[in-house]
Amino acid sequence: MIQWIRSLHALLLPFVLAYASNALAESVHRDSNTETLVIPLARLNEWEIKQAPGWYNIPVKELAISESRLDDLMQDPHKLTPVEHQSWIHRNLNDYKHWIPLATGIGFQWLQDYSGNLYSAPLVHSLITGFGSNWIYWQRDKPSWQRVVDGDGPDNLMEELLPYVTYGYSGYELYDSLTKGSAQYLLHGGTIFLILSTLKSLDKMHLATDALLMETSSIFLHMQAFDKRFLYGFALTFYLYRWGVFPKMLGEYVKAWYWDGVRYPNAEYLHPGIMLSTSVFNALNLYWGSLIARKLVRHLF
């Protein structure tokens, strides 16, 4: 029981912030005179795309499906068209997704307490977000910077939900750092927490999914607790994603902003956050990569 109380306490802070930032985002984007419904760009028809490009709260009267019709048809889901069904899912998801940080944070803390292994929670988090982000990223035919500029929303529900799992994990890391005095967890968890909180307040949390590609290497990092030979898989995926894919995404964004002069809505808030967070992570990856290279040399020779 004591462990469950500790686990519950671990995620109270990120849960409250997730709930508050969700309310803030709704208050910023909601038209007080018109009931609105949030649906992704991919679900809009051609006329609606021209009227409102990107991920926005579209007035119900401009949608092919209204909330009143969705409520009526909920009595018989078989009557819902695919567009109507997806619209209903996204509308109702907004009411519950801020609970995900609480549930996952408690789960990560419970997993560590139950297993007694410090690497169990990080491993499970990296498995979920690493495989999930790769599935999303590699089937896409649009570069990340273009999605930011166009204001695209999540491609699917997984892209919308994965950052909330990491939100909960950051709370777990913060709690662990404060109770055990881990400076590394404090820096890592605190940075992720601030980045996701900022994105959440701007209703752009799904953009963090591309950054979660870096968690692919973390899978092998934590697997070393079971077999030291996973060092080679860790090194390979580290350099592939953290010295390859992620810097490439940043380079494309920098070129679009500074060379091509591309601008987009909310850039005054989003651009500094993107530049600061990606620069910090790239600097850390450069430093960690040099340490890994030295470790490989010692291991091989």
Side-chain angles (χ1 to χ4, degrees):
M1 179 61 70
I2 294 176
Q3 297 294 350
W4 277 99
I5 294 175
R6 287 179 58 208
S7 300
L8 178 62
H9 177 264
L11 253 292
L12 285 179
L13 179 59
F15 167 67
V16 170
L17 185 53
Y19 188 88
S21 58
N22 186 65
L24 174 62
E26 289 183 357
S27 67
V28 170
H29 295 287
R30 182 172 291 278
D31 184 344
S32 59
N33 296 321
T34 308
E35 187 179 15
T36 58
L37 172 64
V38 179
I39 64 175
L41 176 62
R43 311 300 178 194
L44 302 178
N45 60 39
E46 183 178 356
W47 180 86
E48 289 161 346
I49 291 175
K50 292 179 180 178
Q51 296 299 311
W55 176 270
Y56 298 108
N57 285 354
I58 316 299
V60 167
K61 64 182 181 180
E62 295 180 9
L63 291 176
I65 173 65
S66 67
E67 293 212 11
S68 59
R69 172 163 167 72
L70 288 176
D71 290 333
D72 292 339
L73 292 179
M74 267 310 296
Q75 304 302 320
D76 188 358
H78 296 290
K79 293 182 179 179
L80 289 171
T81 68
V83 172
E84 293 171 344
H85 187 256
Q86 288 294 329
S87 300
W88 179 84
I89 290 176
H90 280 270
R91 183 192 66 168
N92 286 275
L93 183 62
N94 287 331
D95 297 331
Y96 300 104
K97 62 187 178 185
H98 56 265
W99 287 92
I100 297 175
L102 178 65
T104 55
I106 291 175
F108 288 132
Q109 185 64 53
W110 176 84
L111 182 61
Q112 177 180 306
D113 294 339
Y114 180 78
S115 67
N117 190 321
L118 295 176
Y119 298 98
S120 56
L123 176 59
V124 170
H125 171 260
S126 60
L127 284 169
I128 295 172
T129 55
F131 281 109
S133 59
N134 272 277
W135 181 79
I136 294 168
Y137 180 80
W138 294 110
Q139 67 176 344
R140 228 188 251 140
D141 58 0
K142 194 175 188 180
S144 300
W145 71 268
Q146 189 67 56
R147 299 183 72 240
V148 174
V149 170
D150 292 345
D152 287 358
D155 288 338
N156 47 57
L157 290 177
M158 181 179 290
E159 185 176 17
E160 190 167 9
L161 297 179
L162 277 182
Y164 283 88
V165 176
T166 300
Y167 211 0
Y169 180 75
S170 70
Y172 153 78
E173 283 199 342
L174 284 173
Y175 177 77
D176 193 76
S177 67
L178 294 175
T179 55
K180 299 180 181 178
S182 172
Q184 181 179 354
Y185 265 18
L186 180 62
L187 176 62
H188 187 262
T191 302
I192 294 175
F193 184 75
L194 290 174
I195 292 172
L196 291 179
S197 297
T198 302
L199 290 175
K200 184 69 184 73
S201 66
L202 295 172
D203 202 19
K204 297 290 183 180
M205 203 167 176
H206 63 281
L207 295 179
T209 305
D210 286 347
L212 292 177
L213 287 168
M214 293 188 291
E215 287 297 314
T216 308
S217 63
S218 297
I219 297 174
F220 298 94
L221 171 65
H222 303 310
M223 288 296 289
Q224 291 182 75
F226 307 98
D227 192 324
K228 295 300 182 183
R229 287 173 293 185
F230 280 107
L231 169 65
Y232 302 112
F234 169 57
L236 177 63
T237 52
F238 183 96
Y239 293 120
L240 175 62
Y241 285 92
R242 298 180 184 241
W243 279 26
V245 175
F246 192 63
K248 176 178 177 291
M249 287 192 293
L250 176 60
E252 292 173 342
Y253 176 82
V254 168
K255 178 181 180 297
W257 179 274
Y258 292 102
W259 273 264
D260 301 335
V262 173
R263 296 297 183 268
Y264 54 90
N266 292 322
E268 65 273 21
Y269 307 107
L270 201 54
H271 175 70
I274 290 175
M275 293 303 299
L276 177 62
S277 60
T278 53
S279 297
V280 168
F281 276 113
N282 276 309
L284 289 173
N285 288 332
L286 183 63
Y287 171 70
W288 289 330
S290 64
L291 296 181
I292 294 170
R294 276 187 248 174
K295 186 173 181 180
L296 280 173
V297 169
R298 288 197 304 268
H299 196 271
L300 292 172
F301 305 103

